[in-house]
Amino acid sequence: MSANSDPGADGVAPEFFRVVRLVDAFEAGRKRRSIDDAAEIRVLADAAAAVARPADATPDRARRAELDRRALVADLATSARVSEWTVTRLLSEAADLCERFAGGVEALERGEISRPHLSVIHDAGASIVDDTARAEFVGLALERAANLTPGRLAAVLRVIAERFLERTLEERHKEAAAGRRIEVVDLPDDMAALTAIMPATLAHGIEDRLTQQARSVITARGDADGDGEGDGDGDGDGDDVEIDERTMDQLRVDIFTDTLLTAGPDDCVAGTGLRAIRATVQVTIPVLTMTGASTEPALLAGYGPIDPGAARILAAGAVGWERVMTSPVTGSVLAVDRYRPGPALNRFLAARDEHCRFPGCRRPVWRCDVDHTIPAADGGPTHHANLAHLCRRHHTLKGVTAWSVEQVSPGVLVWTSPTGRRHTDRPEPTVRFTFDQTATHLRAMMREPWLFPADDPPGSSGAPPF
């Protein structure tokens, strides 16, 4: 027994009391968090009620209420640095919790359950229409939540909820299936998660089919590992054959990718389907990376670095290229040209902005409007220092609500919310990597003057050469 664990006068080791204090502190912290979560739910429910559309509203009043709601959502989102869609979901969820699951909110406020427990109760009981039945369900759910983790509670409540639901599972499934969709979540290291929300039978069927195909690839490996028949007198040529050592999970993903992008897993090699992509994307590729003389990463707009090999494959299938000239110091866009005619100013703005310029919005430029920061009707010039991309939602927000925006310098937008909070949105530099002496030497050898910063003459504004 260590010195710290020697029993005291009462026969109990001091280490025991230390553990008790830690557990007590952890429980107290969780209880305080539950109380704070309940307070936030009530605040959000009040916010939702403040901008709710009146039931008997005229069309004009309903439109005004919708614009007020958008302005409040944007204010909440920017103040908390979360997306507007997240705030919209939280407002709707908070209003429903306070109206139909008041017992659960009160239990959260008392620290009897956690926020994840309340979410599980809400998800399981959201389809219960009858108020009395739902109240009974909430009571049973709170009893179970006292002793179960959220994960275990979810499975139990799905069974309990069936007793209180008026609509059959078939009816509810049909409605839920109408919301099937595909979602992409960006991950670190040039990865992303592709999630398909679909009927469970199809999802499990797809998983099983991929597993069967992966097993067939593993079986087809045959004697590649050298265990086949032979007299052992070969010349060793087989040593150069690359052995397929992919795991089951890796094979499933590779087959899934190639099947979707090439209409068939012809050779089950990850990345084959990349050549079939004909999507509208903006990829910035350093010129030396394009030629294979450098390993500088390329940039996928809205995501970040992608590997040079994938970028070169995408570039090979592009119908046209644009050359984006950037400052090697700041990475900001200096000018854009291409080998086909086109509106130079629009190309420059697209390369500079990449997405809607409202704080936190990631809608790509090809789904946005080019907006005059100072309206043209008020004398605002059609100039890069007075233009920025805004999606239709935020374009409307700027024009008809108390939100305002000022372009304090070319491309730098300062938004002011109805509550007076200011949020600065800057264009993301196209170049985000460290200085590479070798790449600079290669550029000099290529004698491309636009790749190097020129000494601006006195009084030069640094405007792009349109």
Side-chain angles (χ1 to χ4, degrees):
M1 183 177 294
S2 66
N4 288 336
S5 60
D6 290 338
D10 55 0
V12 180
E15 184 67 22
F16 171 79
F17 292 107
R18 179 173 178 269
V19 172
V20 169
R21 287 194 300 272
L22 290 173
V23 174
D24 287 345
F26 179 74
E27 287 182 346
R30 300 287 290 188
K31 186 171 183 177
R32 287 194 300 270
R33 185 182 304 172
S34 295
I35 295 171
D36 290 341
D37 286 340
E40 179 180 279
I41 288 172
R42 296 196 187 281
V43 168
L44 291 173
D46 290 342
V51 292
R53 183 174 63 179
D56 57 348
T58 62
D60 288 342
R61 191 178 177 190
R63 180 174 180 274
R64 184 70 253 176
E66 171 60 18
L67 292 174
D68 289 342
R69 187 194 67 80
R70 291 187 183 184
L72 175 62
V73 166
D75 212 341
L76 292 170
T78 52
S79 67
R81 295 182 296 280
V82 297
S83 72
E84 291 173 73
W85 308 117
T86 297
V87 170
T88 299
R89 177 182 59 79
L90 291 175
L91 286 174
S92 176
E93 184 181 68
D96 193 47
L97 283 170
C98 289
E99 180 181 353
R100 302 198 306 145
F101 293 82
V105 177
E106 292 168 1
L108 180 66
E109 200 167 33
R110 294 191 297 268
E112 296 173 358
I113 61 173
S114 67
R115 185 68 178 86
H117 284 97
L118 183 58
S119 294
V120 169
I121 295 172
H122 183 238
D123 291 343
S127 299
I128 302 176
V129 178
D130 183 76
D131 292 339
T132 303
R134 188 172 54 254
E136 184 179 350
F137 165 79
V138 171
L140 292 172
L142 292 176
E143 291 179 7
R144 302 299 195 280
N147 301 300
L148 296 175
T149 64
R152 291 189 177 185
L153 181 65
V156 172
L157 293 190
R158 279 195 292 268
V159 177
I160 295 176
E162 286 293 332
R163 304 196 329 235
F164 299 96
L165 293 171
E166 298 178 0
R167 301 171 64 205
T168 66
L169 178 59
E170 183 178 2
E171 293 172 333
R172 302 197 314 274
H173 171 74
K174 183 177 181 181
E175 180 179 318
R180 57 191 181 276
R181 61 192 181 276
I182 297 292
E183 297 176 350
V184 176
V185 178
D186 291 333
L187 301 174
D189 302 324
D190 191 16
M191 300 293 285
L194 176 68
T195 303
I197 310 298
M198 63 173 67
T201 51
L202 296 181
H204 285 278
I206 291 172
E207 193 273 341
D208 181 68
R209 176 74 179 276
L210 291 171
T211 299
Q212 292 181 32
Q213 291 178 315
R215 284 202 184 103
S216 70
V217 173
I218 293 174
T219 301
R221 291 173 180 171
D223 298 328
D225 58 1
D227 291 337
E229 296 180 359
D231 56 11
D233 296 330
D235 57 9
D237 290 343
D239 294 341
D240 296 331
V241 178
E242 184 177 352
I243 299 175
D244 188 345
E245 296 181 343
R246 286 175 291 176
T247 66
M248 177 66 76
D249 283 337
Q250 292 169 343
L251 281 167
R252 277 193 288 244
V253 172
D254 294 350
I255 294 170
F256 174 80
T257 302
D258 292 330
T259 300
L260 283 181
L261 294 177
T262 65
D266 296 330
D267 53 3
C268 300
V269 177
T272 301
L274 194 62
R275 301 180 186 278
I277 293 179
R278 293 295 183 269
T280 303
V281 294
Q282 180 178 334
V283 179
T284 302
I285 309 176
V287 64
L288 295 177
T289 298
M290 179 77 80
T291 63
S294 172
T295 58
E296 290 180 80
L299 295 175
L300 175 62
Y303 175 80
I306 61 175
D307 71 274
R312 282 191 286 269
I313 293 174
L314 289 173
V319 295
W321 298 347
E322 294 179 349
R323 184 167 63 169
V324 180
M325 286 148 276
T326 63
S327 165
V329 178
T330 65
S332 58
V333 177
L334 300 178
V336 179
D337 66 7
R338 69 187 306 176
Y339 300 111
R340 297 185 303 171
L345 182 57
N346 284 340
R347 294 198 301 271
F348 173 82
L349 293 171
R352 183 195 72 184
D353 292 345
E354 294 190 356
H355 49 69
C356 171
R357 296 299 309 284
F358 187 84
C361 185
R362 302 294 298 175
R363 190 171 293 268
V365 291
W366 55 85
R367 298 176 63 186
C368 295
D369 303 325
V370 176
D371 172 67
H372 286 72
T373 306
I374 301 174
D378 297 337
T382 303
H383 185 269
H384 75 284
N386 189 52
L387 296 172
H389 282 87
L390 297 180
C391 69
R392 190 60 53 85
R393 177 186 181 87
H394 294 122
H395 198 167
T396 302
L397 195 74
K398 167 182 174 284
V400 298
T401 73
W403 275 90
S404 62
V405 62
E406 178 186 4
Q407 193 159 172
V408 295
S409 62
V412 179
L413 276 61
V414 177
W415 291 82
T416 303
S417 75
T419 56
R421 291 174 172 82
R422 291 166 64 85
H423 307 275
T424 301
D425 188 79
R426 303 177 185 277
E428 298 176 9
T430 297
V431 178
R432 301 179 177 89
F433 308 107
T434 57
F435 179 76
D436 187 336
Q437 185 65 45
T438 302
T440 302
H441 176 69
L442 289 171
R443 289 170 183 156
M445 297 290 290
M446 295 172 66
R447 300 186 182 278
E448 285 276 14
W450 56 269
L451 288 169
F452 297 91
D455 294 330
D456 293 334
S460 172
S461 63
F466 297 133

